[in-house]
Amino acid sequence: MLRFLLMFFLIMVAVVTFNGCNGRLFSYKGATITQQDHIVQLQQGDQKGVWKTNELSLNYNYRMTPENLKVSGTVNLVGGFAIGFSSVERLVVQLLFLDDQGTVIDNVILYSADSHHSTQYIPMNFDRTIPIPANAHAISFSYDGELMDAGDDSAGVSIGNFPR
């Protein structure tokens, strides 16, 4: 029985680790963006803008074609989050494709920072070409992360913004 439990535990750790790397275990499909100022209507041609919360801002540029969205830009910590912490323990920023009601129809990782990523390397750049799902009329962003203080490994703060 102990051997079975150990094997089950190891398999679960492998599944969570694998899915954590590809970002597909936890999908936002079906969730809704309720803040209208966080919704960016998709438009043909070259577009740019800033998407911002009180923790993080994304300066983005995109070019939409009938099949793809080429999106690039930078991720920046803002306010005290930019100067009060010395490393990013974890940060995942996702692009959310939305239908005309603001419901998430797909999510794709734009940027991912690993353990002990120094805040000296901010802004954090991204550049992706992503197939546009059918019925996508808008985009938004979400993020989840943890920032750490250099002086004390136990002093950290979680940041995040998710659709509901």
Side-chain angles (χ1 to χ4, degrees), residues 27-40 51 96-107 138-142 161-164:
S27 174
Y28 294 119
K29 288 181 184 176
T32 302
I33 301 297
T34 56
Q35 291 180 279
Q36 290 301 314
D37 61 334
H38 282 184
I39 295 175
V40 178
W51 183 93
L96 309 174
F97 285 103
L98 311 175
D99 67 11
D100 57 357
Q101 302 297 311
T103 302
V104 177
I105 55 178
D106 200 6
N107 53 284
I139 59 172
S140 190
F141 302 93
S142 70
N161 186 22
F162 313 99
R164 309 222 187 292

Side-chain angles (χ1 to χ4, degrees), residues 19-135:
N19 281 306
C21 293
N22 73 20
R24 285 302 193 195
L25 179 63
F26 303 106
S27 174
Y28 294 119
K29 288 181 184 176
T32 302
I33 301 297
T34 56
Q35 291 180 279
Q36 290 301 314
D37 61 334
H38 282 184
I39 295 175
V40 178
Q41 297 299 321
L42 286 173
Q43 299 175 26
Q44 292 293 331
D46 292 326
Q47 306 295 324
K48 66 180 178 176
V50 177
W51 183 93
K52 188 174 182 179
T53 68
N54 64 345
E55 301 166 327
L56 183 136
S57 71
L58 282 103
N59 296 311
Y60 63 86
N61 300 295
Y62 76 79
R63 179 181 243 321
M64 186 174 129
T65 66
E67 297 86 26
N68 294 311
L69 185 71
K70 178 164 178 45
V71 61
S72 62
T74 58
V75 178
N76 293 286
L77 298 173
V78 297
F81 296 99
I83 58 174
F85 297 93
S86 60
S87 69
V88 175
E89 185 63 24
R90 171 184 50 78
L91 179 62
V92 176
V93 177
Q94 295 192 51
L95 174 90
L96 309 174
F97 285 103
L98 311 175
D99 67 11
D100 57 357
Q101 302 297 311
T103 302
V104 177
I105 55 178
D106 200 6
N107 53 284
V108 178
I109 293 176
L110 279 183
Y111 180 83
S112 179
D114 56 359
S115 182
H116 303 296
H117 181 89
S118 173
T119 56
Q120 293 176 353
Y121 299 112
I122 293 175
M124 300 164 272
N125 300 316
F126 59 89
D127 188 1
R128 300 274 318 265
T129 300
I130 305 163
I132 299 174
N135 301 321

